[in-house]
Amino acid sequence: ELRCDLADQQSVREFVAAFDELGLPCHYLINNAGVMACPRTLTTDGYELQFGTNHLGHFTLTNLLARHLAAAGQARVVNLASTAHSM
């Protein structure tokens, strides 16, 4: 079982290390918005929770998985967001 906490950069790195051990390509990566409108909270790395999760977590995950995405040939990365920005 692979687990990844996007609010924790070390967790993201551990997830990718575990994925590395599987020796598999990554054909699709869907980065879905994670948290929104939460009380002022910090990630374990000291970043504001929403920024640390929805931006830094996805950025780190995508970059660390880049070689697996390239190995898949025509892999796709999809970044999703909430419609809440239009409220």
Side-chain angles (χ1 to χ4, degrees):
E1 179 176 309
L2 298 176
R3 291 181 181 241
C4 182
D5 179 355
L6 292 171
D8 181 349
Q9 292 285 301
Q10 183 60 37
S11 175
V12 175
R13 285 176 169 71
E14 290 171 0
F15 170 84
V16 174
F19 191 85
D20 285 344
E21 291 180 16
L22 297 175
L24 300 172
C26 180
H27 296 277
Y28 303 99
L29 177 61
I30 301 173
N31 293 320
N32 190 23
V35 296
M36 188 188 105
C38 49
R40 172 94 171 128
T41 308
L42 300 179
T43 66
T44 56
D45 303 295
Y47 300 106
E48 188 273 326
L49 183 63
Q50 188 168 331
F51 176 72
T53 303
N54 298 354
H55 297 280
L56 298 178
H58 289 142
F59 177 83
T60 302
L61 180 62
T62 302
N63 278 283
L64 293 178
L65 286 176
R67 66 185 172 280
H68 297 285
L69 292 160
Q74 294 186 355
R76 299 289 184 259
V77 177
V78 179
N79 294 307
L80 302 175
S82 168
T83 59
H85 68 277
S86 63
M87 294 177 146

